Amino acid sequence: MTVAVGSQERARVFPSGFVWGAATAAYQVEGAATADGRGRSIWDTFSHTPGKVADGHTGDIACDHYYRYADDVRLMAELGLGVYRFSVSWPRVQPGGSGPVNPRGLDFYDRLVDELLEYQINPYVTLYHWDLPQNLEDRGGWPARDTAYKFADYAAAVHARLGDRVGTWTTLNEPWVAAFLGYGTGVHAPGRTSAADAFQAGHHLLLAHGLATQALRAAGAPEIALTLNLAPVMTPGQVADPAAEPAPGDRDAEAVARVDALLNRQFLDPALRGAYPDEVLAIAERNGGLGHIHDGDLAAIHQPVELLGINYYNPCLVTAGPGDQPNAAFPGTSDLCFPEAGGARTAMGWPIVPGGLARLLVRLSRDYPEVGLMVTENGAAFDDHVESERVRDTGRTDYLDGHLRAAHDAIEAGADLRGYLVWSLLDNFEWAEGYHRRFGIVHVDFATQRRLPKDSALWFSDVIRQNGVQAR
Ligand code: FCB
């Protein structure tokens, strides 16, 4: 699809009205962990539990965005961002996870939204980016059905305060990660390790999405989204040419379909088609049963949404057996292998495969044509060094440039892609990796909280101005 002239890549101009922006999440940037009546979340508990996060890092202070938001918004304006995607901390709004709201917690988002609008930056609110109130975890967490109903109440409370100025509402960020890393592998909060809990958490997150979507719609929200971590599932042989299809009868085809069902379709199909893939039901049935899926749930989950948010970092590689170690992120796959990709990697060890994004976007518009697409996260961690007031992060610029070209390829091939948000605006608390992994286009010195736009930020600013990438 890419027309390369020698080693030269042509310029790419995106459709007019294409949305450009950057994303963060509450626990990763806000800090102010006990300010103004904020309650505790599962990430406070987890990060303060020895051995859970690298070097005992916590989000207590993070980027101090709670206090520095006005400076950060000015920086966004200087870079020319059209959208800032941030998440609301549920325990700031409802310290105990239910009941009366804490007005001082909502005041923060009120100020942030006003500041963004002052600079004509469109606020995109994500209601859940993994910081479940600890009190709800103590009552069973996401494996408990009631959490979904509590979430819908919380969504309505946030909308009641911000809905007059915020048009784009994302219910959940990456429910697969919240369920399967939070309750399956235990690498994320709350750190449980049960496949049954993970499937139940996944279902109740979907139910939470459906109920919250109904509440937001009833309150008049014009644009509602669900953001998923989606990855093209492929064999190692496809990495060199992600657009290629596996040969018919390929012995890996069933492995690819099964992992695609667990990672992607487990969330896409209930939300956008009102049904679970058969593979997921079969595996869930062997891991705790299906008693948590009640009559009417799939209808409640299957709500029309305007946007599907896609967080893409790398493809997921799989082959038919002989099996590896069981992979707790993917129950029911102990007969399969999850090989490592060769080639270039980021500091996370994640393979760099821009063509995977094109493959994913084209497939999504083909299989789910009723929903618009937005890349709500894409970016990379590298070991950046500040040299005389400058961060020369060529690796990150190359990563972003390659993925934007792939996104453009996908649009040319028919994908209904409407925008691209880089992860992340700022270096921040990267979950179990703490502050060691820097994803920001803006460098943060965590000792002084000084912000310094990296070369990639200046490059991205040009991309936004030109609505595209230049020939190179
Ligand atoms: C995504 C998360 C985001 C960030 C990036 C690197 O899975 O949504 O918070 O950690 O990965």
Side-chain angles (χ1 to χ4, degrees), residues 25 28 85 129-130 173-174 177 229 311 313 348 350 377 423 430-431 439:
Q28 295 182 274
R85 172 182 182 246
H129 202 127
W130 307 349
N173 178 74
E174 302 191 355
V177 172
N229 55 296
N311 294 353
Y313 292 93
M348 294 292 277
W350 296 347
E377 288 183 24
W423 183 271
E430 178 45 38
W431 309 113
F439 275 89

Side-chain angles (χ1 to χ4, degrees), residues 176 181 185 316-317 324-334 336-338:
W176 180 86
L181 302 191
T185 67
C316 175
L317 303 189
D324 282 337
Q325 301 282 24
N327 182 343
F330 297 108
T333 62
S334 57
L336 308 183
C337 287
F338 291 88

Side-chain angles (χ1 to χ4, degrees), residues 88-448:
V88 172
S89 156
W90 187 351
R92 251 189 226 296
V93 173
Q94 285 179 306
S98 60
V101 298
N102 167 34
R104 290 183 299 161
L106 276 172
D107 287 348
F108 167 66
Y109 300 104
D110 210 73
R111 293 191 295 271
L112 174 60
V113 164
D114 283 346
E115 195 72 22
L116 289 163
L117 293 175
E118 183 76 32
Y119 287 94
Q120 282 96 46
I121 300 170
N122 197 359
Y124 276 23
V125 167
T126 298
L127 287 162
Y128 187 71
H129 202 127
W130 307 349
D131 43 0
L132 184 71
Q134 181 61 45
N135 193 36
L136 293 183
E137 175 60 21
D138 296 343
R139 295 170 188 210
W142 283 112
R145 186 174 174 89
D146 189 50
T147 303
Y149 292 87
K150 295 287 191 292
F151 179 74
D153 294 344
Y154 152 72
V158 179
H159 186 275
R161 184 70 180 271
L162 304 179
D164 57 338
R165 283 154 294 151
V166 172
T168 303
W169 292 83
T170 300
T171 53
L172 308 176
N173 178 74
E174 302 191 355
W176 180 86
V177 172
F180 286 84
L181 302 191
Y183 294 89
T185 67
V187 168
H188 280 193
R192 284 199 238 168
T193 52
S194 150
D197 284 352
F199 280 110
Q200 289 168 23
H203 181 70
H204 295 140
L205 280 153
L206 280 164
L207 184 60
H209 159 74
L211 297 172
T213 298
Q214 292 175 42
L216 292 166
R217 194 69 78 197
E223 189 163 64
I224 301 180
L226 170 66
T227 278
L228 302 176
N229 55 296
L230 298 172
V233 181
M234 51 175 76
T235 61
Q238 283 175 274
V239 171
D241 182 8
E245 294 302 328
D250 187 315
R251 67 185 284 270
D252 298 321
E254 187 278 328
V256 167
R258 200 188 324 161
V259 174
D260 180 54
L262 287 163
L263 179 60
N264 299 318
R265 291 177 53 217
Q266 178 170 192
F267 294 89
L268 287 166
D269 285 9
L272 301 176
R273 290 181 175 160
Y276 274 110
D278 291 341
E279 297 95 324
V280 170
L281 292 175
I283 297 170
E285 187 153 34
R286 298 198 300 273
N287 286 277
L290 301 176
H292 58 285
I293 305 176
H294 295 191
D295 283 352
D297 281 3
L298 283 153
I301 291 166
H302 181 206
Q303 298 297 318
V305 289
E306 283 70 28
L307 281 178
L308 174 66
I310 296 133
N311 294 353
Y312 173 76
Y313 292 93
N314 51 256
C316 175
L317 303 189
V318 65
T319 62
D324 282 337
Q325 301 282 24
N327 182 343
F330 297 108
T333 62
S334 57
D335 56 327
L336 308 183
C337 287
F338 291 88
E340 304 254 304
R345 286 162 188 276
T346 70
M348 294 292 277
W350 296 347
I352 303 175
V353 186
L357 177 60
R359 181 183 177 85
L360 176 65
L361 294 172
V362 169
R363 178 257 180 124
L364 291 169
S365 272
R366 183 193 64 213
D367 292 355
Y368 307 92
E370 63 286 355
V371 69
L373 308 180
M374 167 102 35
V375 173
T376 39
E377 288 183 24
N378 175 240
F382 287 101
D383 295 326
D384 301 322
H385 300 287
V386 179
E387 305 161 23
S388 48
E389 300 298 294
R390 184 167 170 196
V391 180
R392 295 173 202 268
D393 59 337
T394 332
R396 182 173 294 100
T397 302
D398 288 347
Y399 180 100
L400 298 175
D401 180 87
H403 285 76
L404 282 176
R405 286 173 200 281
H408 193 268
D409 285 342
I411 293 173
E412 289 186 332
D416 181 9
L417 180 67
R418 306 192 183 163
Y420 175 94
L421 313 182
V422 69
W423 183 271
S424 177
L425 177 71
L426 302 170
D427 291 335
N428 59 46
F429 175 80
E430 178 45 38
W431 309 113
E433 309 285 341
Y435 296 98
H436 294 297
R437 295 288 173 252
R438 292 179 175 271
F439 275 89
I441 54 172
V442 174
H443 182 269
V444 177
D445 177 338
F446 291 104
T448 63

